[in-house]
């Protein structure tokens, strides 16, 4: 059974960089797309972007200048980096398999942006 | 503000049929398949079914997805207490060049 687990700081200061890692167990990253989706408290879902196992990416244009997704197949991990964060970036961040989360999801990790 | 609009809530008694609508435009639902996700209270969302009625194994066949023009629907037949959740539609929007989620519908089993 494939499992995904997000990890990273739960608190980030405004203007700093949010960095999260998703560790995949029970399966390989190869030949799949891997995505990040977030959900502000009490609100709906927002797609952030995806990466293919080869490293090709696509991002939400509204965040494109601030978001980077990378992958390390040797560690079975992929990562999210979001720069210049503000309170509007406070959300539960989910990693998922497939371009738009049609596969497995992690349990999510809450990241709060506050000084 | 999402480009895909859903009713905020829907409800029904056990055994009833509930339909959730998702209204979009020619740049999203009009030309692309629609995915539906279920988010049970306090848990991560999961993909349920798409507008071609395709879904992962384990999704009960009392759930069905469809679309017509710029609108899509998720129908839940034989409503059960475990169906109480938030449901989101989503599709690729060619105008925005982004994947967009609907506003979400909370389904309550009375």
């Amino acid at each position: 059974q494939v499992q995904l687990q997000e990890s990273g700081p739960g608190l980030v200061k405004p203007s700093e960089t949010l960095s999260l890692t998703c560790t995949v167990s029970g399966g390989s990253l190869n030949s799949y797309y891997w995505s990040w989706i977030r959900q502000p408290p009490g609100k709906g879902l927002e797609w952030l972007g995806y990466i293919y196992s080869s490293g090709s990416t696509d991002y939400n244009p509204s965040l494109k200048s601030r978001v980077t997704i990378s992958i390390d197949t040797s560690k079975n991990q992929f990562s999210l980096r979001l720069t210049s964060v503000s309170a509007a970036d406070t959300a539960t961040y989910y990693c998922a398999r497939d371009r738009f989360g049609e596969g497995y999801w992690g349990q999510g990790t809450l990241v709060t942006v506050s000084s | 503000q999402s480009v895909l609009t859903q009713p905020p809530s829907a409800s029904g008694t056990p055994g009833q049929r509930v339909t959730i609508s998702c209204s979009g435009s020619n740049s999203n639902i009009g030309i692309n398949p629609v995915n539906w996700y279920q988010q049970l209270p306090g848990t991560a969302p999961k993909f349920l079914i798409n507008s071609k009625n395709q879904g992962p194994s384990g999704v009960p066949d009392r759930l069905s997805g469809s679309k017509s023009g710029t609108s899509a629907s998720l129908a839940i037949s034989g409503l059960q207490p475990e169906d109480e959740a938030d449901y989101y539609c989503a599709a690729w929007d060619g105008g925005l060049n982004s994947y967009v989620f609907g506003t979400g519908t909370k389904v309550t089993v009375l």
Side-chain angles (χ1 to χ4, degrees):
Chain A
Q1 176 78 345
V2 175
Q3 293 185 320
L4 288 76
Q5 179 68 58
E6 304 89 351
S7 60
L11 181 65
V12 180
K13 290 182 169 54
S15 79
E16 295 191 343
T17 297
L18 178 160
S19 295
L20 296 174
T21 296
C22 182
T23 301
V24 179
S25 59
S28 169
L29 269 63
N30 291 325
S31 303
Y32 285 103
Y33 289 91
W34 303 91
S35 54
W36 288 95
I37 294 162
R38 71 180 180 180
Q39 184 173 35
K43 296 187 178 181
L45 301 168
E46 180 179 29
W47 173 74
L48 303 182
Y50 64 69
I51 188 166
Y52 189 60
S53 55
S54 63
S56 61
T57 56
D58 196 8
Y59 301 124
N60 185 325
S62 69
L63 297 164
K64 196 166 187 176
S65 62
R66 299 196 293 131
V67 67
T68 303
I69 299 175
S70 58
I71 194 165
D72 187 337
T73 53
S74 67
K75 293 183 179 179
N76 247 33
Q77 295 176 333
F78 62 105
S79 300
L80 171 73
R81 190 169 174 268
L82 185 65
T83 61
S84 304
V85 298
S86 69
D89 295 307
T90 293
T92 294
Y93 286 77
Y94 296 100
C95 60
R97 200 193 74 179
D98 297 323
R99 286 183 293 177
F100 309 122
E102 300 100 314
Y104 302 98
W105 287 59
Q107 64 185 22
T109 186
L110 174 64
V111 178
T112 302
V113 178
S114 175
S115 55
Chain B
Q1 191 165 347
S2 177
V3 297
L4 301 182
T5 303
Q6 300 177 234
S9 62
S11 62
T13 57
Q16 278 190 327
R17 176 184 171 95
V18 169
T19 300
I20 303 167
S21 62
C22 175
S23 178
S25 67
N26 289 322
S27 63
N28 42 64
I29 295 178
I31 56 172
N32 292 310
V34 178
N35 287 337
W36 288 93
Y37 302 79
Q38 178 193 57
Q39 186 173 30
L40 295 169
T43 70
K46 72 172 184 178
F47 170 65
L48 267 187
I49 200 166
N50 63 22
S51 51
K52 299 179 182 178
N53 226 13
Q54 301 164 330
S57 60
V59 174
D61 56 10
R62 54 191 185 79
L63 272 68
S64 62
S66 63
K67 76 167 187 172
S68 178
T70 59
S71 293
S73 296
L74 173 69
I76 307 174
S77 302
L79 192 65
Q80 298 183 6
E82 56 263 36
D83 296 326
E84 194 159 282
D86 293 326
Y87 293 82
Y88 295 91
C89 62
W92 184 264
D93 189 294
L96 296 174
N97 203 31
S98 182
Y99 190 70
V100 292
F101 285 92
T103 49
T105 298
K106 182 175 183 60
V107 169
T108 302
V109 181
L110 302 171

